[in-house]
């Protein structure tokens, strides 16, 4: 890791419930959370945004939200994000075979047209060498209304923030997912598995 994370004891009292919840949910405190905790106001903002996006009343179903977050994490080379989000994807009932096929979703028959539209859009938003085109919106509108498209775009934007933050600071995977989930490689380099 390129920056030393805060210790839980050094964080303000109002952040400690977040870390208690991480221990309850994941069995340990997230290293990425302790990095964000070095700036408590940023931590609160990021936590609030994540909570707004990953809520039960979202028009994007939990499994699709996780598919998108794993794919954005793969494109951004974030091993920590792929690890934690792939574990969440499995917990949300997505078959292991589908999780393992996600980096090659375009060549796989495992993905529904709705998932394909969301994943194609997620890649177009995430990659700097691609522009979002009308064809993306034509495909999206077959499966999502405008409110859902806004939520999907917000989720993609959030995951870009999160995965780029964690990748830049070299946050290592914490061993949440036991599956071999691939991470995209920079152009010209072979793809690699996380961890």
């Amino acid at each position: 890791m390129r920056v030393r994370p805060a210790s839980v004891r050094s964080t303000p009292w109002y952040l400690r419930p977040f870390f208690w919840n991480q221990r309850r949910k994941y069995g340990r405190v997230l290293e990425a959370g302790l990095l964000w905790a070095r700036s408590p106001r940023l931590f609160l903002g990021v936590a609030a945004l994540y909570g707004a996006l990953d809520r039960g009343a979202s028009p994007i179903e939990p499994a699709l939200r996780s598919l998108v977050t794993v794919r954005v994490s793969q494109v951004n080379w974030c091993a920590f994000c792929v690890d934690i989000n792939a574990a969440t994807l499995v917990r949300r009932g997505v078959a292991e075979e589908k999780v393992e096929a996600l980096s090659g979703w375009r060549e796989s028959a495992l993905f529904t047209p709705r998932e394909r539209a969301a994943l194609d859009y997620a890649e177009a938003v995430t990659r700097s060498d691609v522009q979002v085109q009308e064809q993306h919106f034509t495909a999206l509108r077959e499966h999502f209304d405008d409110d859902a498209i806004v939520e999907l775009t917000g989720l993609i934007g959030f995951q870009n923030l999160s995965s780029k933050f964690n990748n830049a600071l070299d946050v290592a995977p914490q061993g949440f997912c036991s599956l071999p989930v691939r991470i995209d490689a920079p152009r010209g380099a072979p793809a690699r598995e996380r961890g």
Side-chain angles (χ1 to χ4, degrees):
M1 206 168 323
R2 294 183 171 115
V3 172
R4 183 181 308 163
S7 69
V8 173
R9 278 182 287 193
S10 71
T11 62
W13 64 268
Y14 53 84
L15 293 186
R16 292 185 190 158
F18 290 98
F19 298 121
W20 176 85
N21 190 49
Q22 287 177 358
R23 274 194 197 96
R24 185 180 59 78
K25 186 175 181 179
Y26 301 110
R28 66 195 92 148
V29 172
L30 302 180
E31 295 292 320
L34 291 171
L35 283 170
W36 282 107
R38 292 185 68 90
S39 179
R41 287 183 181 159
L42 284 177
F43 183 104
L44 288 175
V46 169
L49 180 56
Y50 176 76
L53 291 166
D54 197 45
R55 68 189 193 288
S58 171
I60 311 297
E61 62 275 17
L64 181 54
R65 289 194 308 262
S66 290
L67 278 172
V68 167
T69 59
V70 172
R71 187 63 195 131
V72 170
S73 301
Q74 289 173 322
V75 172
N76 286 330
W77 317 315
C78 181
F80 170 81
C81 296
V82 169
D83 177 42
I84 195 167
N85 291 317
T88 300
L89 185 56
V90 171
R91 261 194 338 272
R92 288 179 168 173
V94 174
E96 291 181 3
E97 178 184 29
K98 193 173 200 175
V99 177
E100 292 173 357
L102 186 52
S103 66
W105 67 269
R106 290 180 192 278
E107 294 81 34
S108 173
L110 298 174
F111 297 88
T112 68
R114 178 177 168 89
E115 292 167 341
R116 290 178 174 285
L119 291 168
D120 191 37
Y121 180 61
E123 287 185 8
V125 171
T126 300
R127 293 179 49 191
S128 61
D129 61 337
V130 176
Q131 284 284 329
V132 173
Q133 304 288 327
E134 279 308 309
Q135 69 194 30
H136 295 109
F137 276 85
T138 300
L140 286 173
R141 286 198 168 100
E142 290 181 24
H143 307 282
F144 303 95
D145 65 18
D146 286 349
D147 292 343
I149 291 171
V150 167
E151 291 241 0
L152 180 62
T153 305
L155 176 66
I156 295 164
F158 172 84
Q159 191 55 42
N160 270 285
L161 165 70
S162 180
S163 58
K164 286 176 182 279
F165 175 91
N166 292 324
N167 185 43
L169 296 177
D170 199 27
V171 179
Q174 287 186 249
F176 294 112
C177 186
S178 60
L179 297 176
V181 182
R182 294 173 58 96
I183 297 173
D184 286 15
R187 289 192 182 263
R192 61 182 174 89
E193 289 181 6
R194 61 135 180 91

